[in-house]
Amino acid sequence: MSQAAAKTYDPNNIFARILRGEIPCGKVYENEHVLAFRDINPQAPVHVLVIPKGAYVDMDDFSARASADEIAALMRATGEIARAEGIAQSGYRVLSNCGANGGQEVPHLHLHLVGGRTLGRMLQAQ
Ligand code: DGP
């Protein structure tokens, strides 16, 4: 069906270190497959990073290699966190930057869950 993503995971990226407990984070949620914590540079009143515990570089890697349980867990957790943060009714944005054109800085898959204010257009004008 899909090409296997051949991406090398850097085990010393900052989110891997957070997962190992080497660096603190403002944890908001954790279960078997998922950790979520507040972004260090929040772009809105609510800005949570939702990450799989598995070693996945980005959305391309995750969508190719993750188990159905891991994929479901990430989605379920994101919705649950949005409800817990009180932004489900007012609305929010979920996005994941992937690779160079996506502007990804940290090479461990993360979903940005952003809300608590009107977010405007999805992409800035060029
Ligand atoms: P991206 O550009 O999509 O790779 O976003 C990376 C995000 O990670 C960015 O919004 C800032 C956040 N971030 C980077 N380092 C840390 C950290 O050490 N702790 C936390 N909580 N967030 C971080």
Side-chain angles (χ1 to χ4, degrees):
M1 183 182 78
S2 61
Q3 295 178 298
K7 300 202 168 165
T8 303
Y9 182 81
D10 171 10
N12 289 317
N13 77 75
I14 197 86
F15 293 169
R17 298 185 65 197
I18 286 174
L19 281 165
R20 289 196 296 268
E22 296 169 5
I23 293 175
C25 70
K27 182 165 77 176
V28 299
Y29 180 97
E30 182 170 16
N31 70 15
E32 178 188 0
H33 292 302
V34 176
L35 178 69
F37 50 90
R38 301 203 185 279
D39 194 290
I40 204 167
N41 183 25
Q43 303 299 306
V46 174
H47 188 166
V48 173
L49 300 173
V50 190
I51 73 172
K53 288 188 172 178
Y56 299 104
V57 174
D58 57 18
M59 183 61 78
D60 179 51
D61 189 20
F62 187 70
S63 61
R65 296 195 303 111
S67 70
D69 280 355
E70 289 174 302
I71 292 170
L74 196 72
M75 291 295 109
R76 293 279 190 207
T78 302
E80 192 173 320
I81 295 161
R83 290 187 288 276
E85 292 287 319
I87 57 173
Q89 294 302 319
S90 54
Y92 56 86
R93 183 169 294 157
V94 177
L95 67 84
S96 187
N97 297 317
C98 179
N101 276 5
Q104 183 178 4
E105 296 172 346
V106 179
H108 181 113
L109 172 65
H110 47 285
L111 304 184
H112 294 258
L113 170 62
V114 183
R117 67 168 172 80
T118 302
L119 296 169
R121 292 173 62 86
M122 190 172 71
L123 297 175
Q124 292 178 348
Q126 295 299 302

